[in-house]
Amino acid sequence: MHSLIEPLRGGLIVSCQAYPGEPLRHPETMAQVAAAVTEGGAVAVRAQGLADVQLVSARVDVPTIGIWKDGESGVFITPTLRHAQAVIAAGADILALDGTLRERPDGLTFAETVRRLREESDVPIMADCDSLESGLAAAEAGVDIVGTTLAGYTDARPKTEGPDLELLAELVQRLPETAVVAEGRIHTLDHARAAREAGAFAVVVGTAITHPTSITRWFDQAVRGS
């Protein structure tokens, strides 16, 4: 296991992202958010976009998991080798990319992308997966972390109300030597606890911590009884 991965065991990773057009969508703001969550105990942060990755990695003392979202459908989380190389160059300590079995924009398979990256860098790689099949394939390709990030966001599995604990448990059982990380729709303390109880190596929380627009909407709906 890579030296950057073991310290994440049993910890909370916080995804610090804002969507385009939102008031918080600014790299400096996201860097401040990242600094704030590390004070609260986050063992790593996840940042989106080259400018964010650069600022966040310089601001915090914990590993920055970098991604580059390009597009809105299909494979758009660090979708190509070129995107991955740029994220690493921006200062990401850990690279995350779409780890599904879908066709990638540059024509490379996921395994080919990982192989090319390994030839150039020793930065750990996280695969954002959507199914047992993609998770197993990512591990076979040699990634350091398998995440349930995209479960419920492709046609591979139905979208669960909270985290896909069934998939998480299956991956943990089948990949005992791989860091299997829970990510996706972890919106409550109970969700986070359940993910750890299901065997998650670490737990990623984003919206419930760093997206005030969504959090406000949840409370507003509760207050209005809708």
Side-chain angles (χ1 to χ4, degrees), residues 68-85:
W68 179 1
K69 291 182 178 178
D70 192 1
E72 297 180 353
S73 62
V75 175
F76 67 90
I77 299 178
T78 322
T80 70
L81 176 63
R82 176 181 65 84
H83 288 83
Q85 292 166 330

Side-chain angles (χ1 to χ4, degrees), residues 159-223:
K159 189 175 184 179
T160 53
E161 182 68 22
D164 192 333
L165 297 175
E166 179 181 9
L167 173 61
L168 174 64
E170 289 178 330
L171 287 169
V172 168
Q173 182 179 22
R174 296 287 296 274
L175 300 174
E177 303 301 321
T178 302
V180 177
V181 170
E183 183 172 8
R185 300 183 300 282
I186 300 175
H187 293 163
T188 69
L189 301 181
D190 286 341
H191 287 164
R193 291 191 189 99
R196 276 292 290 150
E197 290 170 359
F201 182 86
V203 175
V204 180
V205 177
T207 301
I209 295 176
T210 62
H211 198 249
T213 301
S214 294
I215 299 167
T216 301
R217 187 175 296 119
W218 296 342
F219 278 91
D220 178 62
Q221 292 172 347
V223 170

Side-chain angles (χ1 to χ4, degrees), residues 130-142:
D130 63 347
S131 65
L132 178 62
E133 292 74 19
S134 64
L136 295 178
E140 179 67 22

Side-chain angles (χ1 to χ4, degrees), residues 93-173:
D93 300 295
I94 299 170
L95 168 71
L97 68 166
D98 183 300
T100 68
L101 300 177
R102 297 175 295 178
E103 183 177 351
R104 306 178 73 82
D106 59 3
L108 296 176
T109 66
F110 178 79
E112 288 170 339
T113 301
V114 171
R115 179 180 59 78
R116 294 277 294 274
L117 290 169
R118 294 298 195 200
E119 292 173 353
E120 303 170 2
S121 171
D122 64 352
V123 168
I125 298 173
M126 175 177 178
D128 291 348
C129 297
D130 63 347
S131 65
L132 178 62
E133 292 74 19
S134 64
L136 295 178
E140 179 67 22
V143 303
D144 302 275
I145 300 172
V146 169
T148 59
T149 315
L150 291 173
Y153 296 107
T154 71
D155 295 333
R157 294 179 65 84
K159 189 175 184 179
T160 53
E161 182 68 22
D164 192 333
L165 297 175
E166 179 181 9
L167 173 61
L168 174 64
E170 289 178 330
L171 287 169
V172 168
Q173 182 179 22

